Amino acid sequence: MRQRKVVGLYLATLLSFAVLYGAYMTFIPLFLADRFSSSALEIGPIMTVGSLTTALTASRIGKLSGFLPAERMLPGAFVFFAASFVAVPFLPGHWWATIPVALFGIGQGLNYPVVLTLLAELAPPQHRAVFMSVNGMVIRTGQALGPLLMGGVFFWGGMGSVFFSATGICVVVFLILPRFIGTGSAGPPR
């Protein structure tokens, strides 16, 4: 578990769930309600788009892995995250939010399955459950820290700062993640 690649995967998990629960799930609905007076009946379908694109993307991971290694897909997920967050403050209307929400969903569809696959490959069979349970703990830590962190950013800098801070976190992860996990090589098509 002290391998650099494992630490990088846990870091990616921690920060992806921090921005998921902090900026995405907490502040996008608040932003829509505040900026556009969107109702729950409008916000709900918009946020559903993210879940749908996550499912669609995750279902295509096998095809993607034929020409794009997992070690490149994971940093790519953070590009989608960053693009989604940087777009939010500039939305001209609430239905436009489906675009950044869909981008985030694509990123999450790349992120979570790839992390689990790489962890399973790295874990010795007799310790695989430990690796996965630690990953679960890291997820819960990100879920807890995200709203606190982004709530602090909101307190000090306002709504726009939340999305720009989340963008910054994602860009930093994109830049440093290859140093932890490498760049990999494409496997055979599945």
Side-chain angles (χ1 to χ4, degrees), residues 12 57 61 64 68-84 103-112 114 170-171 173-178 181-183:
T57 304
I61 289 289
L64 286 171
L68 189 63
E71 291 86 353
R72 290 193 186 154
M73 279 191 257
L74 189 54
F78 284 87
V79 171
F80 283 101
F81 293 158
S84 72
L103 290 174
F104 190 90
I106 293 168
Q108 192 65 354
L110 293 171
N111 173 53
Y112 194 60
V114 167
C170 295
V171 168
V173 174
F174 168 76
L175 293 173
I176 67 168
L177 201 51
I181 67 169
T183 56

Side-chain angles (χ1 to χ4, degrees), residues 18 23 75-76 82 91 142 145 157 161 189:
L91 296 175
L145 288 178
S161 295

Side-chain angles (χ1 to χ4, degrees), residues 118-167:
L118 290 173
L119 279 175
E121 289 173 359
L122 291 167
Q126 68 273 20
H127 296 176
R128 194 164 288 148
V130 174
F131 274 62
M132 296 306 170
S133 66
V134 170
N135 190 58
M137 181 194 69
V138 171
I139 288 170
R140 300 302 175 249
T141 303
Q143 288 175 337
L145 288 178
L148 287 173
L149 174 66
M150 292 304 163
V153 170
F154 175 73
F155 179 78
W156 293 106
M159 188 72 74
S161 295
V162 168
F163 299 112
F164 295 132
S165 296
T167 301

